[in-house]
Each structure stands twice: as structure tokens, then as C-alpha cells.
Amino acid sequence: MSLRIAFCASRAPIAQAAQAALSRRYGDHAERGADVIVALGGDGFMLQTLHRTQELNVPVYGMNRGTVGFLMNAYSEHRLEERLEEAEEAVITPLAMSATTVDGTVHEALAINEVSLLRTGPQAARLAIHVDGKLRLPELVCDGALLATPAGSTAYNYSAHGPILPIGSEVLALTAVAAFRPRRWRGALLPKAAEVSFEVLEHEKRPVMAEADSESVRDVVRVDIRSAPDVAHRVMFDPGHGLEERLIREQFV
């Protein structure tokens, strides 16, 4: 019995063309009831697809038709069913963000890669950091800060000089973005179960936005973050090219 494959693609012409070609060759089923969803695009589109389909409990296999493809497999129109049968599955859990804005509104969002706080004005942000209800850093003057999952540790976190985390590790990376005070503070490794809260100091003078993957909230005064173990994203990779191998390989380039 052949696999029931559902295809989806980013708006990029190259991704749209790939979806048309693959659909003609393998058929195209509805995502609800499919055995696997094949996402065509880059990492950004892959994250969108995982968020959008998280209630379906269907694995997602990405093929790179974008600019960045850390979460994607190489593109080919050939042997797709065989590749899907042989693929390895990784299960990743996101972070849950609760961001409170100046007017008291609370915004909830999930982040597969990271939750980040970034200044939106000309002056550096001032943040206080609490871990499990205890004040750990009373003042961080910076361009921003982020909390990254192992799956997201090679993304913005790595660009901000944060550590790459093994995919199976039960830790999160707390990383500063251009820290000014304490100047030498480069972040911390925290248990996966830790609850992290950022308090925005002088929020009127030094406005800050929060972002969970690509969902942004402006003018935040407090951001609370915890792991969401009740949400599981199933991601498929070609044999020998899974997340663990990619995370190790990334550290030697």
C-alpha cells in the first residue's frame, strides 16, 4: 500500500513548482488523514508547517526549496516513497511563551526554536532575569536575550554566540544578545524543566518586543517561558542526516 502524502509549499516559485511536480507524480492527499506531510521550502516554512499541523500528530518531512535548510532534507523528485519509508523520526518539544504587554494584555505562543526579547528603540534594553521564581540577574543591559531549545540552538542562539546543544539533552540555552552590562556575561545552561521570566525595566524609555519563532509581540513588560512537554512535533530526516548528526556537524564547520 502506497503512502498517503500531503504536500505543502512556501510561496517561493521554486517551491510551488516542486509541489506541482511531486503532486503529479505521487498524488496529493489532505493533511488530515495523511501518513506524512512533505513541506517544501526553507526552515522558516518548516517551522510554520510544524506549528500549523501540531494537532494532527502527522510526521513532517521537509525538502529544501528555500535559502536555509537545517531542518530540511535534500530535494529530489525521485524515490520519495522509499526515502519516506527509510526516514528517521525525531520528536521535538517547543517552549511556551506568555508575554504581557504594557496595557496588561497576555499573549500566548509556542516556539520550536527560541523565544527572544529584542530592543525596539535606540537605547539598550534593561532586563531582570528570574529562574524558577528566583531573581538570578537583577540587571542585564543588552540588545536582547533569548532562550533556545536544543533543536533551535544552531539558529539565532548560535549567531549570538550561544552553545549548540545535543538534541537529546535536557537543557535550554539562555543567551545574551550584545550584552553591555555585565559585559562578560554570555548566558547560562538551564534544566529543561526550568521556568524563566524576563522583566523589562524602564519599558517606556527602553521598549522591548518578544518573539516566539516568527510570532512577535511589541511593548512587553514581562515574558514567562517554560517547556511544553505536552506538545510534540514529529520531524523526519534521511538516514544519517538526523538532528543529532546535524548538530554535531555544525560545530566543525
Side-chain angles (χ1 to χ4, degrees), residues 6 45-46 48 59 75 77 90 96 102 136 149 155 157 165 170 176 182 184 187-188 192 215 226 229 238 242 250:
F45 183 71
M46 182 64 163
Q48 293 174 23
Y75 177 77
E77 293 183 21
V102 172
R136 290 292 184 179
T149 66
N157 172 72
L165 305 175
E170 296 291 307
R184 296 186 181 278
K192 185 177 180 179
E215 186 167 340
R226 61 173 180 82
D238 291 329
E250 191 72 15

Side-chain angles (χ1 to χ4, degrees), residues 36-39 41-43 46-47 50 58-64 68-75 79-93 112-113 150-152 154 167-168 233-247 249-250:
V36 60
I37 296 169
V38 174
D43 281 350
M46 182 64 163
L47 291 176
L50 291 172
V58 178
V60 180
Y61 178 90
M63 285 203 289
N64 192 10
V68 180
F70 184 79
L71 294 172
M72 315 301 279
N73 299 283
Y75 177 77
R79 297 187 63 254
L80 178 58
E81 289 185 325
E82 290 87 340
R83 290 175 71 183
L84 293 174
E85 293 282 4
E86 297 167 357
E88 302 169 348
E89 184 175 307
V91 177
I92 55 180
T93 56
I112 296 169
N113 274 359
T154 61
I167 192 63
H233 297 286
R234 300 167 62 192
V235 187
M236 299 175 71
F237 296 97
D238 291 329
H241 297 276
L243 271 182
E244 184 172 350
E245 168 62 23
R246 290 169 188 234
L247 289 167
R249 189 173 62 223
E250 191 72 15

Side-chain angles (χ1 to χ4, degrees), residues 51 93-97 109-115 147 149 211-213 233:
H51 283 299
T93 56
L95 299 172
M97 177 188 79
L110 295 176
I112 296 169
N113 274 359
E114 77 279 317
V115 173
L147 188 68
T149 66
E211 189 166 275
D213 286 344
H233 297 286

Side-chain angles (χ1 to χ4, degrees), residues 126-141 174 182 185 188 190 194-201 221-224:
R126 290 183 63 225
L127 307 174
I129 302 176
H130 303 255
V131 179
D132 293 330
K134 184 174 183 177
L135 180 62
R136 290 292 184 179
L137 193 59
E139 183 187 61
L140 172 63
V141 181
L174 174 58
W185 192 75
L190 301 175
E195 296 188 10
V196 180
S197 298
F198 293 95
E199 181 184 356
V200 181
L201 309 176
V221 295
R222 183 182 178 90
V223 177
D224 300 301

